[in-house]
Amino acid sequence: MRTMTGQPAAAGSEDQRGAAAPRAGAAPGRPLLPGRPGRPDVFTFGETMVALRGSGPLKLGGTMNVSIAGAESNVAIGLARLGHDVRWAGAVGEDEAGQLVLRTLRAEGVGVSGASTDPGAPTGLLLFEPRLPEVTRVHYYRAGSAGSRIGADVIQRAFSAAPPRVLHLTGITPSLSPTARAAARLALQLARESGSLVCLDVNFRARLWTAEAAAEVLREWIPFVDVLIASDDELPLCLPGGWGGEGSPGGGEGSQGAKGATGANGDLRAEGAGAGMGAEGADGGLGAEGADGGLARWASEQKEATAAGAGACGDAVPLPPQEVADDPAAAVARQAGLLLDQGVGEVVVKLGVEGATTFTHGGSLHQPAKPLRAVDAVGAGDAFVAGYLSALLDGEGPAGRLERAVTTGAFAVASSGDWEGAPTRAELGMLGASPGTVVR
């Protein structure tokens, strides 16, 4: 059951970019570029690593499954399986691990002609260590990796060849290194010049950078963004004036984004474990998020940090903790309204097991999560984004976009792996089948 409210999310809002009225399927305020041969539906870039999944505690040895993982490439695979022309760019090492990344993406139908090989740095690595049925530890070896050294030349070549209909970015890439941040900034500029729609999945990773640093970059990006996708505790990082700070949301590091991620400079080394615990259920939105997420908890921590002198970045004051605790839905709506005032066309908020809500100047729409037995929540957020963008490209309105997003997210949590459970277009209707159904 979907719930629609006609009340505008922000009174008196107006698209600051002065774009024409939206048409079906486009984010409010910006029409999609028309599809044509040679023009990709979606272009995305970031770091993709080799992923090793153990059968139990790593110190005991045992077997490991080998795959790949990366937020942007997870989205790319999800879109390719739904029949879209999607291109991924990134850097891998001149090693067998890098060849596995490229080979896997090519096999899934993702264009990788814009990818590069870095002979001076290795491909990143992450290890998944299951400890309890609902708890997985993740260990990263990514600092100084090839993926963290991606440069702006890769972006320039991609847009020169064929500007995409949609540019998809995450908040992970700018945290990897100054060069990666510059590449992302250039992509935003080129997208605006070429008329490409911009989708940003915040994907905040507390062990990659501080909330203050993330807020500084995200605030600069917001005027370029058409579709903003975030969990409820990530929204404050994007708000005008900088509502971040050391007490800001630090949700666990999900491999759908860069779970357990680290600084990107220095020698390649093992990074902290213990991230990614406390997996959400079949949410069609969040993946395995840390146990310290949530608006109410963040508000409490923010108040304590401010009292201790840490403060929020800038001079802005965060939402009163009491308001957040008493009415989190109203707080999210207010935050979304502020972002719409900044020029964002659509704010999509992932609410874990409660589903997701989208906010536009015309109102808000909520879509519950799909009920099913969760197997592995890792990658659910990326699958959600893939479904949302797929429906947008198909010309669906907000209801259709949310429906497909929670459906693809549900497929992800019903299967093991970051992207392996992503559905094809023909499989989208399978969630409605009765238990025990055999498809012949």
Side-chain angles (χ1 to χ4, degrees):
M1 177 180 179
R2 289 186 290 267
T3 302
M4 181 70 183
T5 62
Q7 179 181 359
S13 298
E14 182 175 324
D15 193 329
Q16 297 175 353
R17 285 160 294 198
R23 62 181 179 83
R30 289 255 285 173
L32 276 169
L33 290 173
R36 70 183 187 193
R39 172 179 286 165
D41 290 326
V42 178
F43 170 69
T44 188
F45 66 98
E47 181 172 27
T48 297
M49 296 157 285
V50 167
L52 303 180
R53 292 178 175 271
S55 57
L58 292 176
K59 64 185 178 183
L60 300 181
T63 60
M64 303 194 82
N65 292 324
V66 183
S67 185
I68 68 169
E72 298 82 6
S73 57
N74 291 346
V75 172
I77 290 173
L79 283 163
R81 287 194 178 180
L82 292 170
H84 300 283
D85 181 357
V86 57
R87 317 278 174 87
W88 173 88
V92 296
E94 199 172 74
D95 47 33
E96 291 297 299
Q99 289 302 306
L100 173 63
V101 169
L102 298 179
R103 180 178 181 273
T104 302
L105 292 175
R106 282 194 296 264
E108 288 294 329
V110 176
V112 295
S113 60
S116 62
T117 299
D118 187 342
T123 303
L125 171 70
L126 70 159
L127 307 177
F128 291 92
E129 179 187 20
R131 290 300 290 119
L132 294 170
E134 299 293 336
V135 178
T136 298
R137 292 194 294 210
V138 182
H139 310 264
Y140 268 77
Y141 300 77
R142 73 182 300 174
S145 64
S148 69
R149 293 164 34 143
I150 186 172
D153 56 325
V154 173
I155 309 306
Q156 187 70 61
R157 287 197 302 270
F159 274 84
S160 297
R165 300 177 71 195
V166 176
L167 167 68
H168 174 61
L169 297 176
T170 76
I172 297 167
T173 300
S175 69
L176 297 177
S177 68
T179 57
R181 192 172 309 142
R185 186 64 173 78
L186 176 62
L188 288 170
Q189 294 174 334
L190 294 176
R192 167 165 289 188
E193 293 171 6
S194 64
S196 301
L197 206 71
V198 175
C199 173
L200 170 63
D201 183 4
V202 173
N203 254 332
F204 174 66
R205 297 295 174 250
R207 295 171 71 182
L208 271 172
W209 55 352
T210 66
E212 183 176 18
E216 181 178 358
V217 171
L218 293 171
R219 288 199 310 273
E220 179 189 356
W221 284 16
I222 285 301
F224 293 86
V225 175
D226 297 290
V227 178
L228 177 70
I229 301 178
S231 58
D232 53 2
D233 59 352
E234 290 172 332
L235 286 178
L237 294 175
C238 307
L239 293 174
W243 296 21
E246 295 303 323
S248 290
E253 311 304 320
S255 78
Q256 82 248 30
K259 195 185 306 181
T262 69
N265 300 314
D267 298 331
L268 196 70
R269 61 186 182 275
E271 301 296 345
M277 297 183 182
E280 293 287 344
D283 55 50
L286 293 177
E289 296 294 340
D292 60 342
L295 278 171
R297 182 186 295 264
W298 172 73
S300 175
E301 293 173 348
Q302 180 79 1
K303 183 178 180 181
E304 294 172 2
T306 303
C313 56
D315 297 324
V317 178
L319 286 175
Q322 189 63 36
E323 176 185 346
V324 175
D326 288 350
D327 192 353
V332 168
R334 178 186 170 194
Q335 293 166 355
L338 290 169
L339 291 165
L340 293 172
D341 281 341
Q342 293 297 300
V344 178
E346 185 167 2
V347 179
V348 184
V349 183
K350 299 177 290 185
L351 299 169
V353 295
E354 296 179 8
T357 302
T358 184
F359 297 87
T360 69
H361 291 301
S364 64
L365 179 68
H366 179 74
Q367 172 68 52
K370 300 287 184 178
L372 83 171
R373 182 174 63 87
V375 174
D376 182 0
V378 172
D382 299 328
F384 178 95
V385 173
Y388 201 88
L389 290 180
S390 171
L392 186 151
L393 289 162
D394 285 352
E396 296 284 349
R401 297 200 284 266
L402 281 177
E403 171 68 23
R404 189 173 302 179
V406 299
T407 297
T408 52
F411 267 93
V413 300
S415 307
S416 296
D418 282 62
W419 52 267
E420 286 83 349
T424 64
R425 189 172 290 264
E427 294 171 332
L428 288 174
M430 292 180 66
L431 284 183
S434 301
T437 297
V438 177
V439 180
R440 301 183 187 276

